[in-house]
Amino acid sequence: MLFHVEMDVRIPHDLPSETADKLKATEKARAHELQKSGKWRHLWRIAGRYANVSVFEVSGPQELHDILSSLPLFPYMTMTITPLCRHPSSVREDDR
Amino acid sequence: MLFHVEMDVRIPHDLPSETADKLKATEKARAHELQKSGKWRHLWRIAGRYANVSVFEVSGPQELHDILSSLPLFPYMTMTITPLCRHPSSVREDDR
Amino acid sequence: MLFHVEMDVRIPHDLPSETADKLKATEKARAHELQKSGKWRHLWRIAGRYANVSVFEVSGPQELHDILSSLPLFPYMTMTITPLCRHPSSVREDDR
Amino acid sequence: MLFHVEMDVRIPHDLPSETADKLKATEKARAHELQKSGKWRHLWRIAGRYANVSVFEVSGPQELHDILSSLPLFPYMTMTITPLCRHPSSVREDDR
Amino acid sequence: MLFHVEMDVRIPHDLPSETADKLKATEKARAHELQKSGKWRHLWRIAGRYANVSVFEVSGPQELHDILSSLPLFPYMTMTITPLCRHPSSVREDDR
Amino acid sequence: MLFHVEMDVRIPHDLPSETADKLKATEKARAHELQKSGKWRHLWRIAGRYANVSVFEVSGPQELHDILSSLPLFPYMTMTITPLCRHPSSVREDDR
Amino acid sequence: MLFHVEMDVRIPHDLPSETADKLKATEKARAHELQKSGKWRHLWRIAGRYANVSVFEVSGPQELHDILSSLPLFPYMTMTITPLCRHPSSVREDDR
Amino acid sequence: MLFHVEMDVRIPHDLPSETADKLKATEKARAHELQKSGKWRHLWRIAGRYANVSVFEVSGPQELHDILSSLPLFPYMTMTITPLCRHPSSVREDDR
Amino acid sequence: MLFHVEMDVRIPHDLPSETADKLKATEKARAHELQKSGKWRHLWRIAGRYANVSVFEVSGPQELHDILSSLPLFPYMTMTITPLCRHPSSVREDDR
Amino acid sequence: MLFHVEMDVRIPHDLPSETADKLKATEKARAHELQKSGKWRHLWRIAGRYANVSVFEVSGPQELHDILSSLPLFPYMTMTITPLCRHPSSVREDDR
């Protein structure tokens, strides 16, 4: 099932830059892994903001939480979660 | 290029039901057409609400506006538009 | 899986009272049926407001949407949906 | 009587991690104790957020305040309190 | 126990004035009765607005709901409910 | 005349605890004094929050400001001020 | 004493225009009278909006309420009231 | 001097369509006239919404108000006004 | 021309108190000077808050910005600017 | 195509002033460069605030993001992006 997630990142200015860089690198590796596994189905940058719009395909809220809360940048992100389902006017087979 | 659109529908309770039904039928036909043309790339229902999350692939804000403002339910919808671009951690070729 | 739903009801003052009464009676019957089936797990009135807090146990966002959008009062309700999962400090077996 | 509580946790990034770990461990122990006593009736994690939805059964606002304000993480939480009562359509005996 | 209630009244302009006048008269009578019974402990007008701030002393959220939802103007009011308890710095015996 | 005041306290986590404790003790003493003088007429704790609801009886906005701005915790509080007057349905002599 | 009031006017589009015109004319006459009496000390239009910023000099919240609630357009206005007092840096004698 | 104005249009669904069409035609003519006079310096449609972003060059708030409040659609628009001035990093001569 | 300005001051608790005191003293001197010059026409304290309501008479947005942005406390203030003009019901000659 | 951007700057008070000054100087140079290239079409200061309103002409959301996210002050700015298109009543050739 699908969940729409908006992630807004706000890294405190007094976090040492090496710490931030390390977190970002690990975050990227984890994002690659999750996309390849098919769990993180879509990932777009919101133009002009340090934020993204994502769609996750998971077995339920529990798996969604386990994935999101284990992201390295989780403590610095505000998450907005929206459960999705099939739209009656949709013609695309995989949007469900 | 891609635009993320959230559409919230609010049909006034005193709109005659035939008018509403007709608008919804035309809206559905138009949604099919736009999806088949590739312009309306994703269309999901937000669970529990008369609302959807969509992704449009258009030549720019002008074409996006022409499409959205010509939807039959446009006068009864609140639109939230967010321009998207490629996320540096994305591995999916068509999410851009 | 569990979803937390807050429903706020706002019936337009110019809806004929017979229509409203009929809708409420059908809503009540449907609520009974859904509670008995186990899908509508909790249902509380918010003190002082025409609103409720509910917890649904469903197979996913699709079933949640099918249930909520078929409620007789759906057109007059604002729904706020929150996906729930097991809390690591929870000791109650059925709260998941 | 029942009170619905949403707790959002925000631990400052410059709080030493040992302090934070200690607070979390004490919080967990206290949550277990309060659940076992029957005061903290429900406790769910909100998927994707460091937050929970809870239902407390207490003798009144005074006991609710005494419990919540003595939680170890209280200084780092935003609480939203909603008094609940029996819903006229509820069929479950203990949801009151 | 005490609950703080803010009531904002908004009577639709197309409600017949006799209906409105009748509702207001019944509301006033009910407010008198509830104050005399000691349930409606304080009642102040918010200066410049068709709104009031009240404090109710009731046996719990259930009684509070029964009282508020039976007020004649209830369908035209937005209620904001806040449970109160004794302040540790309070010296007044009856503010609890 | 009467003013309704909601005070929300937020003490920064990096304020030394002795400083905070001292401020709170002085605040309590000042609150006692003002209640005894009759200026701080009501003082309730909002259940579950580090906040209070108060009613002040003062000679006007100037005296209200002088009192509030001299509270030891003033720099850490968000104040919401609402002028009150007699409600036409009130029967209590001193609620004005 | 002084109160700052922002008044936002919203006249329903289906109010007969003669009714609206009559209300506006009476409102204007009343505004003149109150300004001449010295109670309505300042009255400015907010550029580009059907709204005003005003300063009233009254004996207290009760007189303020009596004045505002008797304005002919009161049922169609949203009022925001702010009590004012002397600013320690003010040099103007009558701004208090 | 320059003022930035965002205009959001919301035409009530029960306004007769001839009335609406007439208003829109007059609005368009007035917009042409004001642009030609140089007062309405910029006018853009916000993509996907019945709204615009504009920049006016006027002699002050009074002229701005006279222009905006005389627009035929004024009663159906929400205006957000922001005064602009020269940006210290601007290199464009006419953006002031 | 006139601009209405609300200034909310929030001085960070870890700013050294000498720095803060110096800023406040310079701010006061500057406020005196600007009031005497006639630019800062009105200045009121908002009762109970570290905030003020002001009216400036300036030659336009540029002068307003130059004045406000040069105030010593500018970096610690949130400014809300509203352009004013003459109200059609105003009888006071200098409120324009 | 055109995008409307509002940038609000908030530099933390504990950022060393040399760091801030350097960032501002580089920001200014970059703004000059982008204006000369024609990408940053309009740039206005919002009167009374450390904020600007801008219009960018870019090839799409990707280029917009690349430009905005590379601004030296980007980590300290809140960006609000609005895609623009030609207004049907516009007569100015270059506002599209």
Side-chain angles (χ1 to χ4, degrees), chain D residues 18-89:
Chain D
E18 314 88 76
T19 313
D21 289 350
K22 214 165 157 182
L23 283 169
K24 289 177 196 172
T26 333
E27 177 89 14
K28 190 167 196 165
R30 185 80 181 114
H32 280 182
E33 193 184 348
L34 284 161
Q35 286 175 88
K36 280 171 192 156
S37 75
K39 308 273 188 205
W40 197 329
R41 228 211 248 189
H42 295 287
L43 169 58
W44 295 283
R45 169 67 76 215
I46 297 181
R49 290 172 44 199
Y50 192 178
N52 70 67
V53 161
S54 293
V55 175
F56 284 85
E57 180 173 11
V58 290
S59 61
Q62 186 68 56
E63 191 184 18
L64 180 69
H65 183 72
D66 293 344
I67 288 172
L68 296 179
S69 63
S70 69
L71 291 176
L73 289 172
F74 182 73
Y76 308 111
M77 295 198 286
T78 303
M79 300 281 186
T80 311
I81 318 283
T82 313
L84 299 176
C85 57
R86 197 179 170 274
H87 193 285
S89 300

Side-chain angles (χ1 to χ4, degrees), chain E residues 91-92, chain F residues 1-3 30-42 55-59 63 67 94 96:
Chain E
V91 300
R92 182 155 167 170
Chain F
M1 63 202 57
L2 303 179
F3 290 86
R30 184 83 181 111
H32 280 182
E33 191 184 350
L34 285 161
Q35 286 176 87
K36 281 171 193 156
S37 77
K39 309 271 189 206
W40 196 331
R41 228 212 248 191
H42 295 288
V55 174
F56 283 86
E57 181 173 11
V58 290
S59 61
E63 190 184 19
I67 287 171
D94 60 343
R96 59 192 71 184

Side-chain angles (χ1 to χ4, degrees), chain J residues 31-86:
Chain J
H32 281 182
E33 191 183 350
L34 284 161
Q35 286 175 86
K36 280 172 192 156
S37 77
K39 308 272 188 206
W40 197 330
R41 229 212 245 190
H42 296 288
L43 169 59
W44 294 283
R45 170 65 77 213
I46 297 181
R49 290 172 42 200
Y50 192 178
N52 71 67
V53 161
S54 293
V55 174
F56 283 85
E57 180 172 12
V58 289
S59 61
Q62 188 67 57
E63 191 185 17
L64 180 69
H65 183 74
D66 294 345
I67 287 172
L68 295 179
S69 63
S70 69
L71 291 176
L73 288 173
F74 181 74
Y76 308 110
M77 294 198 288
T78 302
M79 300 280 187
T80 310
I81 317 283
T82 312
L84 299 176
C85 58
R86 196 180 171 274

Side-chain angles (χ1 to χ4, degrees), chain E residues 28-83:
Chain E
K28 190 167 197 165
R30 185 82 181 111
H32 281 181
E33 190 183 352
L34 284 161
Q35 286 175 87
K36 281 169 192 158
S37 77
K39 308 271 188 206
W40 196 331
R41 228 211 247 189
H42 295 288
L43 169 59
W44 296 283
R45 169 66 76 215
I46 297 181
R49 290 171 44 200
Y50 192 178
N52 71 68
V53 161
S54 294
V55 174
F56 284 85
E57 181 172 11
V58 291
S59 61
Q62 187 68 56
E63 191 185 17
L64 180 69
H65 183 73
D66 294 345
I67 287 172
L68 296 179
S69 64
S70 69
L71 292 176
L73 289 173
F74 182 73
Y76 308 111
M77 295 199 286
T78 303
M79 300 281 187
T80 309
I81 317 283
T82 312

